[in-house]
Amino acid sequence: MVLHETNSPFRQDQAELLNKLLPTLTDGQRIWLSGYLAATVGAAVAAVPAAAAPQAAPAALQAAPAAPAAPALPKEATVLYGSQTGNSKKLANRLGDRLKGAGYEVTVSAMNDFKPNTLKKVARLFIVVSTHGEGDPPDNALGFYEFLHSKRAPQLDGMPFAVLALGDTSYEKFCQTGKDFDKRLEELGGKRIAPRVDCDVDFEDAASGWIDSVLAALASEEAAAASAPAAAAAAAVAAVAAEAPAQPAYSRTHPFRAAVLENLNLNGRGSERETRHLELSLEGSGLTYEPGDALGIYPENRPELVEELIEAAGWKADELVPAGKDGDLPLAEALSRHYEITLLTRPLLQQAAELTGSAKLKELTAPGHEQELKDYIAGRDLVDLIRGFDLKGVPAKTFVPLLRKLPPRLYSIASSLKAHPDEVHLTIRKVVYEAHGRTRYGVCSTYVAERAEPGSELPVFVQHNENFRLPADPDTPIIMIGPGTGVAPFRAFLEEREETGAGGKSWLFYGDQHFLTDFLYQIEWQRWLKDGVLTRMDVAFSRDQEHKIYVQHRMLEKAKELYAWLEEGAVVYVCGDKSRMAHDVHAALETILRQEGGLSEEAAAEYLKRMQQERRYQRDVY
Ligand SMILES: Cc1cc2nc3c(=O)[nH]c(=O)nc-3n(C[C@H](O)[C@H](O)[C@H](O)COP(=O)(O)OP(=O)(O)OC[C@H]3O[C@@H](n4cnc5c(N)ncnc54)[C@H](O)[C@@H]3O)c2cc1C
Ligand SMILES: Cc1cc2nc3c(=O)[nH]c(=O)nc-3n(C[C@H](O)[C@H](O)[C@H](O)COP(=O)(O)O)c2cc1C
């Protein structure tokens, strides 16, 4: 609109100036200007006596001098998360709540629910994202990640942003996705208002620190944009915002002690596997879950390994050591349930080199020895480190606090709450392998297999997963691909569909080593096939014949029918091994689309990408 004296409150000379300036402004500049003007008006309005103000100010603000904070930008913030197992989502929501508490209008959204072409309209952008695979974005971040790194990404013209990265220092590409977003937003002209924080598996404190730093940066942004009295009000806003939001009764940070009701080995005699069917009571916890969610368990280290470590280091089991929020604990207890002792990470080795002054360890962790360090870390634990670098005698009090906190493990929930009120069932395969001349035991799976007797208790929490959900329409066909323990959530899916009387067709692809000993939940699938809850089932037992047969081979054998189901709108679910199975199943789906649908390689890849975006191809792989 062209401004002139009759359609605006401006004089002719003012209107001419504005008509010259306004068309040259970018979206970011317009947003900034509107915030700036709002700030000026805000200060003027604040000068009106309190009785004339339409709404009472919050208590903390009333204590401050008369003028409220006035931001330069509209008080809006967008929080986008990319999350596979729910941690980033939870933190994004926590930031959202804090921003709302500070008076911001907030949008919190999964990256795949956000329209990238609206990015230019965003006032402030906060990203909370984890890294998965081998340094890859989580599935629900893929589209936005690609968009932002493409030529279509807009210039951000000083848009304020900050990134929280979640990851695990035991992975080579630690927090890679968060690092990529942070770098790219700056390249596009965004203005970083708080430094990126890279969180390890014990992310709570670091994430809270980042949220505080974002709120503080916004408060000073407001203070800078406002008059002096408003700066005091801004500080008051930050104080209000710093109040911790109410926590649900039981959570990752406050796990529920669930009683073990049942713990059975699902494998037959002679199997190479040991897979536990675990039933836990949630009675009195108030915890609920949906099929597709996971349960987190806080494990304890194997007593034999704790003893071996204390012996190797020359420590005393009852000496007191710091154990974070638990205060000082006897060493044996701290090593059992507080610290990680089965895994070595680069930061740990670097700190150990500093602490002990070991020349050998310093050399291994020095720049230029990255590959050597990676090779050393693989398959080794703390006992190897102590023995291999002659660290016996290092004081427990200074060495033990260098260790990471023992992280919880996640397990796909294998039951429906409707079928088993107040219970949760899991399918856990014991991890045991040989490495560097010693038998190694997976911490949590061994804890469950060897020590979770019925009647004992496990500290647990529910990890919701919106990215692995039955279709809302009960008549939608579903294809479930879950070899090994990957079948766990599909037991939950079918229990749920049986309870709700869902009419949609269902097809399960299952596989393991041997039909006779490794057919997990065989009787249940057969009953569901008979009752029509499960429409089809194809199994692949890899070692029952000379050549290996896996689920992807069964899928290719049934290519025609599978393609017909896809065209009917079936939702495909893949759960289980990420390193090979998920990749091979993806390749099989591409082959089926090319072979049966006549699609080119690119078109098949595009078809699957679209399915992913439409949530018709969901994966929960680990
Ligand atoms: C969302 C999600 C759902 C999951 N659902 C299930 C489920 O339903 N059932 C289930 O059993 N697991 C499931 N897992 C995996 C589970 O969380 C644990 O990772 C698994 O039980 C191993 O944990 P652990 O503590 O026993 O072993 P850890 O002490 O964590 O040791 C495992 C590590 O040992 C190493 N390792 C294992 N085998 C070998 C080998 N042969 N050679 C060399 N190194 C090896 C690998 O580095 C591996 O990461 C799921 C994971 C996720 C993220
Ligand atoms: C299968 C798998 C692969 C992972 N790969 C990486 C990785 O390459 N780099 C990294 O820093 N963290 C990696 N992680 C750790 C996750 O980023 C970390 O657990 C994070 O807290 C998950 O957050 P989310 O629940 O929001 O997805 C991986 C985790 C899993 C389960």
Side-chain angles (χ1 to χ4, degrees):
M1 178 175 91
V2 179
L3 300 173
H4 44 81
E5 260 176 324
T6 52
N7 71 356
S8 78
F10 303 114
R11 293 191 314 265
Q12 190 54 38
D13 60 330
Q14 288 176 319
E16 275 167 14
L17 279 173
L18 286 168
N19 285 334
K20 252 195 207 149
L21 173 70
L22 292 177
T24 67
L25 299 183
T26 63
D27 283 357
Q29 289 168 327
R30 278 167 199 266
I31 291 170
W32 189 93
L33 187 62
S34 64
Y36 175 75
L37 292 175
T40 324
V41 174
V45 169
V48 173
Q55 279 178 343
L61 288 182
Q62 282 169 357
L73 289 171
K75 283 196 81 161
E76 288 168 17
T78 300
V79 184
L80 296 183
Y81 60 84
S83 186
Q84 198 78 28
T85 53
N87 296 333
S88 307
K89 181 182 176 189
K90 201 175 295 170
L91 294 171
N93 280 320
R94 197 182 298 166
L95 172 64
D97 289 345
R98 291 277 301 275
L99 289 167
K100 280 179 201 152
Y104 283 79
E105 197 176 301
V106 184
T107 307
V108 181
S109 165
M111 289 181 182
N112 61 346
D113 288 334
F114 177 77
K115 291 200 175 66
N117 57 7
T118 61
L119 184 59
K120 279 294 268 186
K121 300 201 180 97
V122 164
R124 299 171 182 80
L125 179 65
F126 300 108
I127 285 196
V128 185
V129 71
S130 60
T131 297
H132 278 265
E134 309 292 330
D136 306 321
D139 283 348
N140 67 356
L142 277 170
F144 186 61
Y145 181 93
E146 276 177 21
F147 168 81
L148 211 64
H149 287 82
S150 75
K151 292 210 170 70
R152 288 179 299 135
Q155 284 304 309
L156 299 178
D157 302 325
M159 181 183 75
F161 76 89
V163 175
L164 179 66
L166 265 69
D168 180 338
T169 46
S170 68
Y171 285 90
E172 195 185 353
K173 297 199 171 153
F174 173 54
C175 286
Q176 192 57 48
T177 305
K179 290 174 183 169
D180 292 348
F181 271 118
D182 192 47
K183 182 162 168 261
R184 185 65 180 150
L185 288 171
E186 186 175 50
E187 279 169 7
L188 292 171
K191 180 178 141 216
R192 186 182 298 102
I193 61 161
R196 187 188 75 240
V197 169
D198 298 336
C199 300
D200 204 349
V201 279
D202 180 19
F203 54 77
E204 284 293 341
D205 290 348
S208 297
W210 178 80
I211 291 175
D212 287 345
S213 74
V214 166
L215 268 293
L218 291 175
S220 48
E221 180 191 281
E222 290 185 21
S227 60
V237 169
V240 172
E243 282 168 18
Q247 292 284 324
Y250 292 107
S251 63
R252 185 185 162 103
T253 45
H254 180 37
F256 173 68
R257 296 194 66 84
V260 178
L261 302 173
E262 193 78 78
N263 186 349
L264 306 167
N265 184 6
L266 293 173
N267 295 98
R269 193 170 306 161
S271 172
E272 284 175 33
R273 318 279 210 195
E274 180 176 341
T275 316
R276 313 301 300 193
H277 172 71
L278 189 70
E279 298 188 356
L280 302 173
S281 169
L282 293 179
E283 203 179 332
S285 67
L287 290 172
T288 59
Y289 61 84
E290 296 285 319
D293 287 341
L295 195 81
I297 299 183
Y298 280 96
E300 288 180 19
N301 284 306
R302 216 163 172 258
E304 294 84 345
L305 184 66
V306 171
E307 259 175 52
E308 196 175 352
L309 175 60
I310 291 176
E311 164 73 29
W315 293 331
K316 291 202 172 58
D318 56 357
E319 64 180 300
L320 290 180
V321 290
K325 288 186 183 126
D326 291 343
D328 285 357
L329 288 179
L331 179 65
E333 190 184 341
L335 293 177
S336 296
R337 59 182 186 83
H338 189 82
Y339 286 113
E340 180 173 75
I341 60 173
T342 50
L343 210 66
L344 300 178
T345 64
R346 181 197 299 250
L348 171 68
L349 264 59
Q350 283 165 339
Q351 287 171 301
E354 281 305 309
L355 177 76
T356 61
S358 158
K360 260 166 71 185
L361 203 46
K362 278 193 171 159
E363 193 188 332
L364 182 66
T365 53
H369 294 252
E370 285 75 16
Q371 189 56 44
E372 223 179 301
L373 180 61
K374 196 176 151 203
D375 293 344
Y376 176 76
I377 282 174
R380 289 195 166 86
D381 66 9
L382 216 54
V383 171
D384 297 308
L385 180 75
I386 300 276
R387 288 190 184 140
F389 290 89
D390 301 321
L391 303 184
K392 188 165 185 167
V394 60
K397 259 198 177 60
T398 46
F399 185 82
V400 169
L402 300 182
L403 303 176
R404 299 200 305 182
K405 208 170 149 201
L406 187 53
R409 269 60 169 175
L410 294 179
Y411 294 95
S412 308
I413 290 177
S415 53
S416 152
L417 205 49
K418 292 192 180 73
H420 307 277
D422 277 340
E423 287 183 16
V424 60
H425 301 177
L426 305 174
T427 314
I428 301 183
R429 180 156 289 173
K430 184 175 177 183
V431 171
V432 190
Y433 58 98
E434 296 289 324
H436 309 289
R438 283 174 45 223
T439 305
R440 318 273 163 160
Y441 296 89
V443 178
C444 192
S445 58
T446 304
Y447 175 55
V448 165
E450 295 183 352
R451 281 167 289 143
E453 306 282 341
S456 65
E457 289 178 345
L458 296 176
V460 304
F461 60 94
V462 173
Q463 185 91 353
H464 297 288
N465 182 1
E466 299 300 331
N467 300 319
F468 208 72
R469 283 283 183 262
L470 275 167
D473 178 354
D475 292 329
T476 305
I478 56 175
I479 300 171
M480 300 167 285
I481 303 155
T485 55
V487 85
F490 304 137
R491 179 177 183 267
F493 276 19
L494 292 187
E495 282 194 351
E496 181 84 1
R497 277 201 150 186
E498 182 175 34
E499 288 297 315
T500 55
K505 297 190 293 183
S506 56
W507 189 348
L508 176 66
F509 287 90
Y510 172 72
D512 214 314
Q513 289 187 347
H514 300 287
F515 172 83
L516 273 182
T517 55
D518 306 323
F519 199 162
L520 308 184
Y521 302 116
Q522 180 186 3
I523 291 169
E524 299 188 30
W525 310 124
Q526 281 167 346
R527 183 174 65 74
W528 279 320
L529 275 170
K530 199 159 132 262
D531 297 349
V533 175
L534 181 60
T535 317
R536 296 190 62 152
M537 180 165 187
D538 282 279
V539 292
F541 289 98
S542 58
R543 302 196 184 182
D544 278 346
Q545 60 286 307
E546 289 251 306
H547 60 290
K548 297 273 171 66
I549 297 179
Y550 295 114
V551 281
Q552 63 270 22
H553 300 125
R554 294 294 184 225
M555 290 167 65
L556 291 169
E557 283 167 18
K558 304 286 155 53
K560 203 177 216 42
E561 294 100 309
L562 219 149
Y563 179 70
W565 280 52
L566 292 183
E567 286 288 279
E568 273 175 54
V571 181
V572 176
Y573 300 89
V574 184
C575 184
D577 174 62
K578 83 165 161 131
S579 56
R580 278 185 308 250
M581 185 275 293
H583 177 264
D584 293 346
V585 163
H586 188 88
L589 286 169
E590 276 183 348
T591 306
I592 290 166
L593 289 167
R594 286 163 56 196
Q595 187 183 304
E596 303 300 324
L599 302 184
S600 66
E601 204 174 318
E602 296 78 50
E606 197 46 47
Y607 189 109
L608 289 178
K609 202 184 261 179
R610 208 172 46 248
M611 279 186 67
Q612 232 157 3
Q613 277 156 2
E614 291 167 359
R615 296 173 195 263
R616 283 188 46 221
Y617 178 24
Q618 303 184 17
R619 292 192 290 185
D620 195 10
V621 293
Y622 46 85

